Amino acid sequence: MSDDFYGVLGVSRDAGVAEIKKAYRKLAMQYHPDRNNGDKAAEEKFKEITEAYEVLTDAEQRAAYDRYGAAGVRGGGGGRGGFGPQHVDLSEALNIFMRDFGGLGGFDAFFGGGQRSQRDRHRGQDIKVTLQLTLAEVATGATKTVKVKTLDRCKVCDGTGAKPGTKVVRCGTCGGSGEVHRAAQSIFGQIMAVSPCPTCAGDGTVVEHQCTECRGDGRVKAEKTIQIDVPAGVADHHYLTLRDHGVPGPRRGPPGDLVAVLEIAPDPRFERHDDDLLFDLPLSFTQAALGAEVEVPTPYGPTMLKVQHGTQTGTVYRLRGKGLPRVGEAGKGDLHVRVHVWTPSKLTAEQERLLEEFAKIEGKPPAEGQVGRKFWDHLRQAFGG
Ligand SMILES: [Zn+2]
Ligand SMILES: [Zn+2]
């Protein structure tokens, strides 16, 4: 890992948060593990830029870094919650990345780190949903509606869990702190062990008379309809997180998140290679020999392609910008149209007669192997391999 966080992101030492964010976003697009097929170097780079990003967008961390260098922010905990730079979870990072470009929540919210810890015990569950998308929806982006079974704040007690007219009282066991302290011996001497209060489960308060509607939980069953904006260019198994759209916590605890996992139905017409698409175009012998104008499908609707005369099997035509959009970026991939010359297997008497006539005057095909090589050259060219 590099110690020069500014250098890693390519920003100056006085760069503002917006600039750092922009630089990170650009690099994240490039080095994102999803785009690099398990390439270790890219993954390392991604970790590196994510670490730099995290530190430089957190005022406290940045100040520590400016003063003491990387040693000032690495290791030793230091209030970074469970998301220290040594443990960058790539799927979480992807999550930020998707969330940001999906317009589904605050980019910075994720980096709050430890802020969530205090009341985590009361945090509601996450809701996981699966969104099915077609390739056409990937091409344009889509707004999907999902119905989820969840819980809602109990209206009778307003989520407190206490019977109306009664009060929630301070927990006698912990005195309202939600924690119990206990002296314990360790090899370092006596230490204070802190654990959540067993009586109030860390809440600091207890319900003496439970609300009958929700039995003291503060929540009742509910069904909700949620709209999710899916950005264009997403891939299978990407996921979007709608922060705080999950199940509310018990007794007014904070809600969980809604996590939408994307499933993209394969389109039999196209083979997807990131932003690029490959389409196999069958041509008759005469179309290939004489040239033709043929209709080819794109995710945006059909378009016309002019096939040159003398087109061989394996020739690849590139339709620029007819592939899929790049997530969160301007620009689109290309649609590669790969030609296959079709040989008829059944001939009418007249076709046979004409072809035999033609056979008398047709030329000889080139030396063996040449056509095959060309096919792979085209493909290699098309996908930069
Ligand atoms: Zn307690
Ligand atoms: Zn209630």
Side-chain angles (χ1 to χ4, degrees):
M1 296 288 251
S2 169
D3 288 353
D4 178 8
F5 295 163
Y6 293 101
V8 161
L9 293 176
V11 296
S12 63
R13 290 185 76 87
D14 55 4
V17 171
E19 195 188 326
I20 291 167
K21 208 156 141 173
K22 202 171 151 201
Y24 174 69
R25 186 180 303 191
K26 209 172 148 217
L27 292 166
M29 288 295 173
Q30 192 180 341
Y31 294 107
H32 195 275
D34 242 39
R35 301 190 151 202
N36 292 281
N37 277 328
D39 178 276
K40 283 284 165 214
E43 188 177 313
E44 271 311 301
K45 183 82 184 158
F46 188 71
K47 283 184 186 173
E48 207 166 271
I49 58 169
T50 302
E51 176 186 36
Y53 171 83
E54 275 185 81
V55 169
L56 297 185
T57 50
D58 178 313
E60 220 175 282
Q61 294 279 321
R62 187 174 179 177
Y65 172 71
D66 286 344
R67 220 166 146 191
Y68 306 109
V73 291
R74 281 194 190 133
R80 294 187 51 83
F83 193 71
Q86 301 297 329
H87 309 284
V88 176
D89 181 332
L90 293 180
S91 66
E92 286 287 277
L94 166 63
N95 189 11
I96 312 162
F97 168 78
M98 291 307 303
R99 202 150 39 81
D100 192 36
F101 298 113
L104 297 170
F107 193 71
D108 295 315
F110 184 82
F111 293 99
Q115 287 164 16
R116 192 168 243 192
S117 63
Q118 187 53 42
R119 287 180 62 87
D120 257 8
R121 288 180 285 277
H122 297 284
R123 186 170 169 253
Q125 282 176 303
D126 290 343
I127 300 174
K128 191 175 155 187
V129 296
T130 303
L131 294 184
Q132 313 272 354
L133 297 163
T134 64
L135 203 66
E137 287 175 319
V138 171
T140 55
T143 300
K144 306 292 275 185
T145 304
V146 284
K147 239 186 197 160
V148 292
K149 283 205 166 73
T150 177
L151 298 170
D152 217 347
R153 185 178 286 186
C154 172
K155 287 193 177 67
V156 175
C157 62
D158 198 24
T160 60
K163 196 173 186 165
T166 71
K167 278 199 177 121
V168 172
V169 296
R170 188 192 290 180
C171 171
T173 309
C174 62
S177 72
E179 293 171 342
V180 285
H181 300 251
R182 172 175 63 80
Q185 289 300 322
S186 81
I187 53 166
F188 304 111
Q190 183 167 304
I191 54 159
M192 288 302 278
V194 180
S195 53
C197 171
T199 308
C200 62
D203 194 53
T205 58
V206 285
V207 172
E208 281 194 317
H209 304 280
Q210 287 184 351
C211 164
T212 49
E213 179 74 15
C214 62
R215 294 183 184 173
D217 181 67
R219 303 174 297 177
V220 290
K221 280 183 186 165
E223 203 170 71
K224 278 184 191 163
T225 304
I226 297 171
Q227 273 198 355
I228 303 174
D229 289 321
V230 182
V234 292
D236 212 18
H237 306 306
H238 271 175
Y239 60 98
L240 305 166
T241 301
L242 278 77
R243 187 84 186 248
D244 296 342
H245 280 67
V247 179
R251 295 178 56 200
R252 306 185 71 129
D257 299 333
L258 183 122
V259 180
V261 179
L262 308 181
E263 269 184 25
I264 293 145
D267 188 320
R269 298 172 299 174
F270 305 109
E271 204 178 296
R272 182 174 179 178
H273 296 257
D274 297 329
D275 312 321
D276 285 348
L277 295 172
L278 177 64
F279 171 70
D280 280 313
L281 174 70
L283 281 184
S284 72
F285 163 70
T286 53
Q287 282 177 312
L290 301 171
E293 202 163 343
V294 292
E295 193 182 276
V296 291
T298 80
Y300 311 95
T303 190
M304 297 308 286
L305 171 70
K306 215 168 176 174
V307 176
Q308 299 296 312
H309 69 87
T311 292
Q312 303 291 351
T313 283
T315 300
V316 178
Y317 287 95
R318 179 198 286 247
L319 300 180
R320 287 192 186 277
K322 295 289 186 188
L324 298 172
R326 305 194 172 102
V327 184
E329 262 181 285
K332 286 175 181 156
D334 302 327
L335 174 66
H336 304 270
V337 179
R338 181 170 59 183
V339 171
H340 293 263
V341 177
W342 171 73
T343 307
S345 51
K346 276 182 191 149
L347 295 172
T348 65
E350 190 185 11
Q351 286 170 336
E352 200 168 325
R353 187 181 59 75
L354 285 168
L355 280 177
E356 271 168 4
E357 205 60 30
F358 176 72
K360 288 177 193 159
I361 51 166
E362 79 176 324
K364 274 194 160 64
E368 202 184 330
Q370 200 171 320
V371 175
R373 207 163 39 242
K374 206 167 177 186
F375 171 84
W376 291 109
D377 285 347
H378 275 300
L379 265 198
R380 264 194 288 278
Q381 209 179 330
F383 294 111

